Amino acid sequence: MSMCYNDFAKWCEATIPSIYDDSLSYYEVVCKLLNLMKQQKKDLEELTLTVSDNKEMINGIQETIETINLTIATIEKQLEKYESGEYSEIYVKATYDWIVNHIDDIFEMISKFTHFIQFGLSANGHLVIKVPTNWQFIKWSTIMTPECPCWGHLVIKY
């Protein structure tokens, strides 16, 4: 919009031509009015295109919002099932299957672990366990509760 619509009133104020002033002739006023109307028509056409483009974008955004809302509802249903424990059998079965499929690897790791540990007896008959000096995080203990069925068993704490 190159012209201001309020300028038209100023053009019409001095319509009597004069040799010594800057007033406009009737023809010049009509030409300016015609140019102003053409500019308004062009502005309205551009505005109509912009509004239709905005309507299309708004419709696309609304469709996206509906899709997101459906996805959120689906996720919330799945979370409710998870919280109620409906999937616990699946997790237990998956864990069991993993253990069955990797039992050899598990035993191999345990055997590597126990190769570093040496068991023996001291001179006065006590059990002695030797571990590498950098294994400070491992603590050895015995279950000392007489009513426990595991009483006297050796326990590794880490």
Side-chain angles (χ1 to χ4, degrees):
M1 288 187 257
S2 58
M3 289 189 238
C4 181
Y5 301 127
N6 295 331
D7 291 342
F8 182 70
K10 292 178 188 173
W11 298 334
C12 295
E13 286 176 1
T15 57
I16 301 175
S18 172
I19 299 173
Y20 302 108
D21 66 0
D22 292 334
S23 62
L24 301 173
S25 68
Y26 289 116
Y27 176 76
E28 291 172 324
V29 171
V30 170
C31 288
K32 288 197 178 274
L33 176 62
L34 184 62
N35 287 336
L36 181 66
M37 298 302 275
K38 286 179 183 178
Q39 183 65 39
Q40 285 182 337
K41 179 184 175 195
K42 182 180 173 189
D43 292 344
L44 285 174
E45 288 171 354
E46 290 176 5
L47 184 61
T48 304
L49 289 175
T50 303
V51 168
S52 67
D53 289 345
N54 287 345
K55 283 182 183 177
E56 290 176 15
M57 285 188 230
I58 289 170
N59 289 338
I61 290 171
Q62 287 174 339
E63 290 172 5
T64 304
I65 289 172
E66 289 173 8
T67 304
I68 290 171
N69 286 338
L70 288 173
T71 304
I72 289 172
T74 304
I75 291 171
E76 285 175 346
K77 287 178 185 175
Q78 295 298 324
L79 281 174
E80 287 173 5
K81 288 180 181 179
Y82 175 77
E83 288 173 352
S84 68
E86 196 170 318
Y87 291 127
S88 59
E89 289 180 16
I90 295 170
Y91 295 129
V92 169
K93 183 176 179 345
T95 304
Y96 175 79
D97 290 344
W98 184 88
I99 290 172
V100 167
N101 291 334
H102 295 90
I103 195 72
D104 293 336
D105 298 333
I106 293 169
F107 280 128
E108 185 177 328
M109 288 186 331
I110 291 172
S111 68
K112 285 181 182 177
F113 176 75
T114 56
H115 282 129
F116 290 109
I117 303 170
Q118 296 177 354
F119 296 93
L121 292 174
S122 67
N124 57 1
H126 289 97
L127 176 66
V128 177
I129 302 170
K130 293 183 181 180
V131 295
T133 56
N134 61 350
W135 286 16
Q136 302 295 329
F137 60 93
I138 294 181
K139 305 291 184 218
W140 300 87
S141 182
T142 356
I143 298 176
M144 298 303 292
T145 311
E147 57 271 359
C148 180
C150 298
W151 181 74
H153 287 203
L154 185 62
V155 179
I156 299 175
K157 296 181 180 180
Y158 56 94

